[in-house]
Amino acid sequence: MVCAGKYELLKVNQVVGEAAATFRQEEEVALRPEHPGVETLLSVKGRPRVKRVEVLPGRVLIEGGVELQLTYVACVPEKPVYAAHLEVPFSHSLNVAGALPGMNAHVTALVKANELRPKASCGREFTAVVALDLQVKVTEHKEIEVLVEAPSGVEVKETKRLRVDDVVATTSAEVLALGECVVPEEKPAVAEVLDLLTETEITRAETATDEVYLSGNLHAHVVYRAANAAGSVYHLECMVPFGQTVAVAGVKEKMTVQVEARTLVAEAAPKDAPSRALAARALISCRILVVEPRQLDVVTAVTGAAVVEKAKLRVETVVGENSATVALAEVAVVPPADPPAKRILVTEPLGVTIVAAEVIDDIVVTRGRAGIRVIYAAATPDEEVYAADAQLDFTARVSVRGAKPGYGVHILPAIDYAVARVKEGGIVVDAAVTVLAKVTETVQQGVITCIKLPEVSPAPPVTLIRHPVAPGDTFYNLAERYGTTVEAIMAANPGVDPDNLQVGQIINIPVAPGDPA
């Protein structure tokens, strides 16, 4: 039996389930050997990093770390101010009914509180305590036809307006990141790489006709043995940018892209022995989802149909979206070890990293970092060319009417402009970052997927008999004689007046085959 009515195909990410947890993590941490002890802590900021997400039957495993960025007064006679990074690793499992391997999981992490407790005066060891809020949403791609117009004879009782992100395309791609990690002058050269940890972030994702452009940064944490007599162990951090265009059929300009990236394999090796430069390379797997906002009025209840087939959609509906622009003025970018700058050659935006996004009543608060690279000529006799990278911290407040705590949020950031200039031998950057926030709510909506009408038996075939009107004939007595109806005779004789039949007039009498004439 064929479905009656008009239907539209929806391609959506069906929400399988959600879960949230707040937990406390305590870890013993210590400053690296090159950092002096702490006399006074000035500030401690926590930033979560989700490094691995795995969907298992009925649960989602989340692994990562909270990076603690601290500034402190060093316990040395000069009492200089230092900056350092510590990490508190975490691993947590959230139960999500219906979750299965192969499904997608979107994780949001937020540091609610953090604390560093020194174990000794002027020490380098601490007890770190962080409170972390984790939220996970498990989805799967689903295609479903929904009723938008009922067939004739069926009364519509209720309709609902859906605002969803229609899935245009999904694909995967592998991106190669190649770069160089340079050892700063204050650290010894590398004799041997002992360990390498990497983190991947996507800073830009844009669509064009039938393609998606991705760019991001690979953050490498290298532990190495120094090329000195003591063979000391040191730590080095560097960033390797990457970018690639991926062919994706059906994609158009200005569509929304969601990318999940993870490092498959990475390596770093000295270019010489000993070396002040490491060749870094990594293969990054990117899972790409392209969506397009869609608004659809669907029929959710009818009367008068024989059979109505329904399904339940659990999807993210768009509550609202808006944008805000943040101006960043005169942010210093040149590291103290670099020579003074004479003139700017190139200012290059590297992309934006969103650190946290929180939904409160009618507002989305977003914290992030804008990456800027400045290439400049130094104030030296030969005007050597140097490059300096800066991460500009920002906070944006985006007004979205209807937003409430607990709602989902998707952030699309962009650097509008970045201009570097020389100021007293240093470099400062003026920049502007625009943040687009789309707030969503998970709703469950029943939809009609098929209406089947009662089958109508076809009318039996008829034969027309040409009958000459005799005295006393009427449509009524002719219907009785031939076993038919007055209505059938009238339908077979359009234009004939039943009240003015003439003797000898020929009229048509419909009869079933085999009936006696």
Side-chain angles (χ1 to χ4, degrees), residues 164-500:
V164 298
D165 283 334
D166 206 35
V167 177
V168 177
T170 58
T171 189
S172 296
E174 292 184 352
V175 180
L176 186 62
L178 296 172
E180 184 178 84
C181 295
V182 178
V183 180
E185 292 297 330
E186 65 268 19
K187 293 186 178 182
V190 179
E192 178 187 8
V193 173
L194 302 177
D195 195 14
L196 172 65
L197 296 175
T198 62
E199 299 169 0
T200 304
E201 63 177 357
I202 299 296
T203 57
R204 182 182 170 199
E206 295 180 355
T207 61
T209 302
D210 292 329
E211 62 185 23
V212 174
Y213 176 72
L214 305 175
S215 63
N217 298 314
L218 176 77
H219 295 273
H221 303 264
V222 183
V223 178
Y224 70 92
R225 182 174 59 82
N228 55 23
S232 306
V233 175
Y234 280 79
H235 176 267
L236 171 67
E237 293 184 11
C238 68
M239 184 177 70
V240 178
F242 61 85
Q244 183 166 311
T245 299
V246 181
V248 185
V251 171
K252 299 178 182 178
E253 289 186 4
K254 298 182 179 180
M255 289 184 172
T256 302
V257 188
Q258 300 172 20
V259 182
E260 294 180 4
R262 63 186 181 92
T263 304
L264 297 177
V265 62
E267 61 181 8
K271 287 193 166 185
D272 302 300
S275 177
R276 302 201 64 81
L278 302 176
R281 58 181 290 153
L283 187 63
I284 301 166
S285 173
C286 295
R287 193 172 191 175
I288 303 168
L289 173 68
V290 182
V291 298
E292 185 177 31
R294 188 175 182 188
Q295 184 169 288
L296 197 63
D297 292 324
V298 299
V299 179
T300 56
V302 297
T303 57
V307 179
V308 177
E309 296 180 2
K310 294 186 175 183
K312 286 186 178 180
L313 276 182
R314 194 162 182 234
V315 296
E316 288 186 330
T317 62
V318 180
V319 176
E321 60 182 77
N322 202 357
S323 62
T325 300
V326 180
L328 306 171
E330 294 198 350
V331 182
V333 300
V334 175
D338 285 341
K342 182 177 182 179
R343 55 193 172 88
I344 305 299
L345 302 177
V346 177
T347 305
E348 178 186 2
L350 297 178
V352 181
T353 301
I354 298 301
V355 175
E358 185 177 6
V359 181
I360 56 180
D361 290 336
D362 295 328
I363 295 175
V364 177
V365 180
T366 303
R367 298 194 303 275
R369 301 189 313 274
I372 306 293
R373 174 167 294 164
V374 180
I375 300 174
Y376 66 97
T380 58
D382 295 330
E383 293 192 4
E384 293 97 336
V385 175
Y386 284 80
D389 290 347
Q391 298 292 325
L392 314 184
D393 293 333
F394 68 86
T395 299
R397 294 170 63 89
V398 184
S399 297
V400 181
R401 181 175 296 180
K404 296 180 181 178
Y407 282 5
V409 61
H410 300 279
I411 304 297
L412 185 63
I415 298 176
D416 292 335
Y417 71 87
V419 179
R421 52 193 171 85
V422 177
K423 184 177 181 180
E424 299 177 354
I427 294 177
V428 294
V429 172
D430 296 321
V433 177
T434 295
V435 175
L436 173 67
K438 178 189 291 184
V439 178
T440 61
E441 179 187 11
T442 301
V443 299
Q444 183 166 288
Q445 178 63 59
V447 294
I448 296 175
T449 58
C450 186
I451 287 182
K452 296 178 179 178
L453 299 177
E455 292 188 0
V456 179
S457 301
V462 296
T463 300
L464 293 178
I465 296 175
R466 294 176 61 79
H467 173 83
V469 175
D473 281 349
T474 65
F475 277 7
Y476 179 77
N477 59 31
L478 288 174
E480 285 191 332
R481 183 192 308 174
Y482 287 100
T484 184
T485 64
V486 172
E487 290 77 11
I489 296 176
M490 292 179 66
N493 296 273
V496 174
D497 184 358
D499 296 325
N500 189 27

Side-chain angles (χ1 to χ4, degrees), residues 45-57:
K45 297 179 180 179
R47 180 166 65 95
R49 287 184 182 271
V50 176
K51 300 178 181 179
R52 177 171 172 261
V53 178
E54 184 177 1
V55 182
L56 303 171

